[in-house]
Amino acid sequence: MEGALTAQDKVGVQDFVLLDAYTSESAFLDNLRKRFSENLIYTYIGTLLVSVNPYQELGIYTLSQMELYQGVSFFELPPHVYAIADNAYRMMCSELNNHFILISGESGAGKTEASKKILQYFAVTCPMTESLQRARDRLLFSNPVLEAFGNAKTLRNDNSSRFGKYMDIQFDFKGIPVGGHIISYLIEKSRVVYQNQGERNFHIFYQLLEGGEEELLAYLGLERDPQLYKYLSQGRCAKEPCVNDKNDWKTVSNAFSVIDFTKDDLENLFGIIASVLHLGNICFEENQQGCASVPDTHEIKWIAKLLGVHPWVLLEALTHRKIEAKTEEVICPLTLELSACARDAMAKAVYGRTFTWLVNKINSSLVNKDFTGKTVIGLLDIYGFEVFDKNGFEQFCINYCNEKLQQLLIERTLKAEQAEYEMEGIEWEPIQYFNNKIICDLVEERHKGIISILDEECIRPGPATDLSFLERLEEKVGKHAHFETRKLAGPKGRKKIGWMEFRLFHYAGEVTYCTRGFLEKNNDLLYRHLKEVLCRSKNRILKECFLVAELENRRRAPTVGTQFKNSLSSLLEILISKEPSYIRCIKPNERKEPSKFDNFLIRHQVKYLGLMEHLRVRRAGFAYRRKYEYFLQRYKSLCPDTWPHWRGPPAEGVERLIKYIGYKPEEYKLGRTKIFIRFPRTLFATEDAFEF
Ligand code: ATP
Ligand code: MG
């Protein structure tokens, strides 16, 4: 016993619920640190998995590890991402219901790696038939393609996902993975035209230049050196030693062939990618009338060839704007600045829609119509809460997304848990938690929420600006308890809010947003003139992305904020009907270094991930519950009264059984149909007894 304690002292406890000083944040951090220093990166809070990025290969994802976790009860082995995957899988197979695994955490915390490990786990451990191997391979190979187009090197992560991703893995009734479906959220289009110092554009551009065959580059009119392209070199790290673009190009090319992309698809696709690069290199000059002109049309000609548009029409669309007067269209020249904006808007629109096309195309390769009555496990790899020194429209959307996911957690865990206790007639002290619905409403409520107010500003005739938007916010939600603008003297210790800023009191903490750029980003306008050019393009992919019907439809497309709100609401609908598992990823330090545990940084994440709150609920509740029949079936051999057969009601059998093995009254409760066990350690002990 003493030995066991010493070991625990050294390596910490594998479930935070077992901590003695469970409510203290420092005890929590201490446990995390102890485990991290022993390379134990995983710890549970009940069934939630906390993972700390080791920034090194630990040898814990081997085939034998996968085999170890297969079909083994959750608490019998040390915490692992495989245990989460296996648990969801086994529950799905035995109860024929759908599951999802939500992976969250800040950039670089290890979300994408975790989701890849889970996918690999299924690919290796699930039963397989020869005919379904291709389906499995497509699932696996969709990843490198999506990462090439949707990930980029940022200051925080060399392979940062710049979009949210939800992937359903579909299984047949034998538990064989047969297909899948992917939904993407809010790709960061602005990266196509601008990158901060030390950051890069999406990987695919560099991979194409570094790895693409000579003939391909010649066909696309591209040079090999990425530094020759404006859209690739603003971050001043086009050549990046930590990324192997040449090798990655090979992986991506191979993946394309597995997921059924034809030569024609690829020609069209890379025609677009190359066009974006050519677009970025178009330089405008001011002519005598003070309007934009293009002195060198070399790039225009390449784009025209690759996209199948007329060069002069394209040139005109980049330097002029069509304005609809009463009976006719008037063509007005653009200034230098507006032409550059039009060019960048075109690059962003083309890339953004091509990304959506890519996801759809991958989906058509993953779909498996032969299987009906499938069950699914959904993997959600989505941006965590973001709080930077300067927070803009993107952070606003991302943090709103996290509010919605917290709502889901509340609905599924806190509320559902309390409802179950009630149903089972279990007495329990309701625990207080903050229901963040009030913040979700503040953001999304129709006509009254921040997104609606923003949309109204975007369509309001007259000169709406980021400042007038702020004034409107102040007028309409200024008195809301979770909102604040321009209060220059806030309560003690609170940072001042500057001009053009508003503050939201999120469930995870307060964040100050600068409204600069909100209107433009929400509008995401592409001049009609350019849209016409793209709709008439002969490039097959662009044709699918820019439908002529869009030109005829005079109704405004929904704004970015509203689209995002709608897609989140569909996501929540998808998730709410499924059984949840949670993985919370933590980044140990900002330097991407192994074995470095930055207490300050981690404390911050523990707070923003809501881990202490989760622990509190877990502690107050019951870690484990099982129907009497199942519990008895598993442990009946531990008691002479119930072994080998118990003929009475299962509830009575369980009562005898736990009396015999010595459960203390505070350790459990008996409900109408289930036994509830408060701490996992009670169950560990039962499992141990069961083994000997
Ligand atoms: P983002 O939000 O920027 O996409 P992320 O949470 O998806 O970030 P990952 O890309 O999964 O972060 O991880 C960042 C890097 O950390 C990986 O490229 C890898 O080098 C390392 N890493 C993450 N998880 C692990 C792990 N379990 N074992 C070893 N290294 C890891
Ligand atoms: Mg990622």
Side-chain angles (χ1 to χ4, degrees), residues 662-673:
Y663 276 18
K664 297 197 184 74
E666 68 274 15
E667 286 182 323
Y668 71 94
K669 285 254 196 291
L670 298 177
R672 292 202 174 94
T673 65

Side-chain angles (χ1 to χ4, degrees), residues 107-108 110-113 147 151 157 159-163 381:
S107 181
K111 301 178 292 292
T112 302
E113 289 298 318
E147 282 196 13
N151 289 24
N157 182 357
N159 181 34
S160 183
S161 322
R162 309 314 300 162
F163 66 108
D381 168 3

